[in-house]
Amino acid sequence: MYDYFDDKEFLKRAQRFCTSLVSRTEKILQEKNINSQMFLVGSGGRNMITRNGSGPIDFDYNLNIISCDDWDDTKGIKDKVMNAFNKALAEENLLSCSDSTASLGTKPIWFEDVPEVKFSIDLAIVTLDNKGLWNRLIHEKDRYGNPRNDRWIWNIAPNSQKLKEKADFIKSKNYWPLVREVYIEKKNMYLSRNDKDHTSFMIYIESVNEVYSKIRK
């Protein structure tokens, strides 16, 4: 069951480490003509870091692709991001990431002086289209396990327009605790359904929209 992790000092330390890894990934990608900008889902300043029981603390990052050579080369983009991320991980003697449908996930990471508290990074590849909608780069794997039939597609995140503006409005009205409440409820709902298609970013979008709709009435 998911809950929020509230050890602020540990979170600051772990988040700095995770951010440095993703930042290095960005710099490596620049050499491949991919310009990107990372952001932590919900932003770290909004206390959205979760943990499933005693499992690793989740740091959910989005890598926003701003420009690249070929937007239609979806497999090439995913491969370049994965290779860059793995290179950044290897520089810290960490294992390579795994490639799930909607994100790249690290193996558990820990500090030598606090080995009992582990954390991990889920890195999703996204972009903002000309309609103001967020798109996620999805690796749609063949149901029969034949990689030759895999597809890599830009998948529109529904109702994702003006997400930052909505979140800022909610916070200005002091309703952010309600977003946190809805967010954790939804994470646990999808966990109970074994639904891995709803990433943290998708759940965040749903939560912001739900609360925004309530307080705008």
Side-chain angles (χ1 to χ4, degrees):
M1 181 175 178
Y2 281 105
D3 204 349
Y4 288 111
F5 188 85
D6 293 323
D7 184 336
K8 292 182 180 179
E9 289 306 312
F10 184 88
L11 285 177
K12 285 180 183 178
R13 181 184 180 188
Q15 187 176 322
R16 280 196 302 268
F17 182 80
C18 294
T19 298
S20 72
L21 284 170
V22 184
S23 179
R24 272 181 262 174
T25 302
E26 288 180 314
K27 291 176 182 177
I28 295 167
L29 285 171
Q30 286 179 347
E31 300 170 4
K32 306 295 182 182
N33 294 323
I34 295 179
N35 293 311
S36 59
Q37 184 178 35
M38 65 174 166
F39 59 94
L40 191 60
V41 172
S43 92
R46 288 174 173 168
N47 303 315
M48 305 292 283
I49 307 300
T50 61
R51 187 184 194 187
N52 183 6
S54 59
I57 301 165
D58 292 329
F59 287 94
D60 296 293
Y61 284 84
N62 281 346
L63 188 69
N64 177 23
I65 306 298
I66 298 170
S67 65
C68 64
D69 289 334
D70 184 359
W71 289 99
D72 293 327
D73 183 18
T74 47
K75 183 180 185 302
I77 294 170
K78 183 69 176 284
D79 286 345
K80 286 177 183 178
V81 172
M82 184 163 59
N83 290 337
F85 193 30
N86 281 335
K87 185 174 180 180
L89 291 169
E91 290 174 358
E92 292 290 340
N93 296 314
L94 297 172
L95 296 173
S96 295
C97 65
S98 59
D99 178 14
S100 67
T101 301
S103 65
L104 301 170
T106 67
K107 305 297 189 294
I109 304 167
W110 62 89
F111 298 124
E112 289 187 2
D113 58 330
V114 196
E116 68 276 10
V117 184
K118 297 177 173 59
F119 54 95
S120 62
I121 303 171
D122 274 340
L123 183 64
I125 304 167
V126 302
T127 194
L128 196 62
D129 66 22
N130 55 15
K131 295 180 181 178
L133 287 163
W134 286 103
N135 289 243
R136 301 176 300 152
L137 183 51
I138 301 297
H139 180 184
E140 192 176 82
K141 299 181 181 182
D142 178 63
R143 60 184 298 186
Y144 300 110
N146 185 349
R148 289 182 297 179
N149 295 328
D150 286 3
R151 297 196 308 153
W152 289 260
I153 57 174
W154 289 109
N155 183 265
I156 295 174
N159 305 311
S160 57
Q161 304 100 320
K162 297 184 178 180
L163 184 63
K164 183 179 183 301
E165 290 88 339
K166 292 175 183 177
D168 288 344
F169 177 81
I170 292 168
K171 199 171 185 184
S172 72
K173 299 298 182 181
N174 299 317
Y175 276 95
W176 198 254
L178 183 56
V179 174
R180 295 183 79 237
E181 181 181 322
V182 173
Y183 179 77
I184 206 72
E185 287 176 356
K186 287 181 178 291
K187 285 207 80 167
N188 284 316
M189 177 186 71
Y190 290 122
L191 176 67
S192 69
R193 296 176 180 176
N194 197 31
D195 183 338
K196 298 180 181 178
D197 292 331
H198 282 79
T199 63
S200 293
F201 188 46
M202 296 296 291
I203 297 170
Y204 176 71
I205 292 170
E206 289 182 6
S207 303
V208 167
N209 279 321
E210 184 174 316
V211 174
Y212 182 78
S213 296
K214 286 180 180 178
I215 67 176
R216 286 289 291 174
K217 289 181 179 177

